Amino acid sequence: MTVFAAAWAVLRRELWLASRRPGELLQPLMFFLVVVTLFPLGTRPEPELLATMAPAVLWVAALLATLLGLERLFRADHDDGSLEQLLLSPAPLALLTFSKVLAHWLLTGLPLVMLSPMLAIMLGLPMSSIGTVVLSLLLGTPILSLLGSIGAALTVGIRRGGALLALLLLPLYVPTLILGASAVAAVRDGLPADGQLYLLGALLSGALVLAPLASGLALRIASE
Amino acid sequence: MSVSPSNPSVPPLLAVNKLACERGGRELFHDLRFSLPAGAVLTVGGANGAGKTSLLRILAGLALPAYGHVLFRQQSIARNASEYRSVLSYLGHQPGTRRDETPLNHVQNRLSLGMLPAVISVQDALKTVGLARYADRPCGELSVGQNRRAALAWLVARQSPLWILDEPLSGLDVAGQSLVAELIAAQVGRGGAAVLTTHQPLDLPAAVPQQRLTIGEPA
């Protein structure tokens, strides 16, 4: 029995539990779809206007959709006592929280990434920018999940912490939003987006290392 | 605060000295001390709100004491946290089962988290606690008592040296309560130790060495 067996057990349990409730799984995806669809209805249906707004619309919708499932990341475990099992595991808590975050990303972030090309076309983005839309979300959505886990861990002991969680996290999401949306906007305007994507990659590397540690510590404090 | 005397020549498995606990600015207990040798049971008593659960959470390392240390094999549990967690089985107020998971999944997952190989197969452990027929049913369809039995199956399969059990009898029927007594007697027989709180009398065999600790003012 190794540390990785424990981390794998956490991941497998999350994925298995999610598969029992496919309806809940679809919620962030449907939210993403509906929010992106609502924007054109609220403005003039001009292709140029839509293409101008598209990077921001896609990214803000992805950000809010990620936020939707985050409150539940540790809440159910806290309520039924299985959080104590995580805290009392001899395996490093950072690794176990990483498993939880990975499960969250696989269940919400990855489906958003896969749906994004269709929505990008719907918003009138040129075909040449689809790759950047996907790549920026592929680098950006894990950052959202990782940062989100810190907020979810901090608010785990608070009843109805959803609004607080959003207030806590949205400012932290600003750099990711700016970089992601501007990468898409740059490519739409025929400019290179390498700089933004490299910076997103750097943010992701930092978050991968630091966020699980921080959320582990936050969980210990919040559940004391 | 009273502790029945224990033999000082045996090195204690779990010991606390001058332990104090505060909750919300209120002192629950102070100057608490006991030393529990391997092969013995410590029953913690006290009125509601006296701090029994707080004490058990401190002993498990889930909460920090306001003052004092918890020593496992004469080493602070805060220093050797990972090592301590690999020999500790803590059962809290809630059984820790999720509605959608089955008792079989629950015990398997929990064993992997504990990183200690199962001494008894999960199937046999479930049979011991009387859940063999329900091993593949979602815990949400089972009763509160059956959920608690699923958590007990994990204790049975894991057989770690130290058990910390918060109200292990709650929600269990008469047969379940004597099952808990049997499990604890077997744990002591193996040379393990158990710390538990309970409001119901626990019928342990007379041969099991028992210590009693009462926290708070005697009612």
Side-chain angles (χ1 to χ4, degrees):
Chain A
M1 294 261 183
T2 61
V3 170
F4 294 103
W8 167 237
V10 173
L11 181 64
R12 195 186 46 199
R13 176 172 184 264
E14 290 298 312
L15 297 180
W16 192 84
L17 285 174
S19 74
R20 310 303 296 170
R21 310 218 167 235
E24 276 179 28
L25 212 58
L26 280 174
Q27 277 175 19
L29 207 58
M30 292 304 290
F31 182 85
F32 185 51
L33 187 70
V34 170
V35 169
V36 172
T37 321
L38 282 180
F39 265 90
L41 300 178
T43 60
R44 284 166 287 140
E46 290 164 13
E48 297 77 27
L49 184 64
L50 282 183
T52 311
M53 297 192 317
V57 170
L58 279 175
W59 260 90
V60 170
L63 193 145
L64 294 175
T66 309
L67 205 56
L68 207 60
L70 267 176
E71 201 205 338
R72 287 199 299 267
L73 188 61
F74 299 115
R75 178 59 48 82
D77 288 340
H78 178 263
D79 290 348
D80 71 11
S82 41
L83 186 61
E84 285 169 353
Q85 295 162 31
L86 282 191
L87 296 176
L88 289 176
S89 168
L93 189 56
L95 192 67
L96 304 181
T97 48
F98 177 76
S99 285
K100 298 274 296 179
V101 178
L102 181 61
H104 176 262
W105 182 75
L106 288 174
L107 296 168
T108 60
L110 191 60
L112 296 186
V113 174
M114 295 197 296
L115 191 68
S116 61
M118 188 186 94
L119 295 178
I121 294 169
M122 209 172 90
L123 290 173
L125 280 174
M127 288 307 271
S128 57
S129 63
I130 305 293
T132 308
V133 169
V134 172
L135 193 57
S136 72
L137 284 171
L138 202 57
L139 289 168
T141 46
I143 306 177
L144 302 179
S145 294
L146 284 162
L147 290 179
S149 73
I150 305 175
L154 282 172
T155 55
V156 74
I158 304 169
R159 296 267 140 219
R160 297 195 185 87
L164 182 65
L165 182 64
L167 288 177
L168 204 67
L169 286 180
L170 289 174
L172 293 178
Y173 281 173
V174 169
T176 314
L177 170 70
I178 292 175
L179 289 171
S182 80
V184 178
V187 170
R188 179 202 57 206
D189 298 338
L191 298 167
D194 301 4
Q196 288 93 325
L197 293 176
Y198 281 132
L199 279 172
L200 273 180
L203 275 184
L204 176 59
S205 322
L208 271 175
V209 176
L210 297 175
L213 286 171
S215 31
L217 283 175
L219 277 180
R220 285 214 193 276
I221 295 167
S223 56
E224 208 184 79
Chain B
M1 282 164 220
S2 59
V3 184
S4 48
S6 63
N7 186 353
S9 63
V10 184
L13 189 71
L14 190 71
V16 307
N17 197 10
K18 293 186 177 173
L19 199 71
C21 169
E22 278 177 14
R23 274 287 165 271
R26 193 170 65 95
E27 186 174 77
L28 289 174
F29 51 79
H30 69 277
D31 205 19
L32 187 82
R33 52 188 84 200
F34 69 78
S35 100
L36 181 71
V41 174
L42 173 71
T43 311
V44 181
N48 292 133
K52 297 189 294 297
T53 295
S54 298
L55 173 62
L56 261 52
R57 287 178 65 84
I58 289 172
L59 293 181
L62 283 169
L64 292 174
Y67 186 81
H69 295 286
V70 180
L71 301 175
F72 177 76
R73 292 187 179 136
Q74 290 164 316
Q75 286 187 308
S76 162
I77 62 164
R79 293 249 179 83
N80 300 292
S82 176
E83 202 182 317
Y84 180 58
R85 285 177 199 134
S86 65
V87 294
L88 164 74
S89 295
Y90 170 83
L91 206 58
H93 265 291
Q94 296 136 315
T97 50
R98 184 66 55 83
R99 286 178 52 83
D100 293 319
E101 71 184 354
T102 66
L104 189 65
N105 284 333
H106 173 73
V107 177
Q108 281 168 343
N109 273 323
R110 211 162 166 172
L111 282 170
S112 317
L113 268 182
M115 286 170 53
L116 205 64
V119 178
I120 292 176
S121 83
V122 178
Q123 296 287 356
D124 287 345
L126 286 168
K127 201 179 286 174
T128 307
V129 300
L131 283 181
R133 280 170 52 213
Y134 304 95
D136 293 318
R137 292 268 292 277
C139 288
E141 289 175 15
L142 303 179
S143 73
V144 175
Q146 285 171 320
N147 275 281
R148 293 212 64 103
R149 281 168 185 257
L152 289 175
W154 163 70
L155 279 182
V156 171
R158 191 164 186 245
Q159 294 199 352
S160 70
L162 177 63
W163 289 1
I164 296 183
L165 314 175
D166 198 354
E167 297 283 347
L169 298 183
S170 77
L172 290 176
D173 55 15
V174 178
Q177 295 185 5
S178 51
L179 171 73
V180 171
E182 280 167 35
L183 294 180
I184 291 172
Q187 162 80 349
V188 168
R190 283 192 297 271
V195 180
L196 58 107
T197 63
T198 175
H199 287 293
Q200 291 118 307
L202 181 67
D203 288 329
L204 286 174
V208 174
Q210 263 201 85
Q211 296 185 13
R212 285 179 201 285
L213 174 72
T214 308
I215 50 180
E217 299 299 312

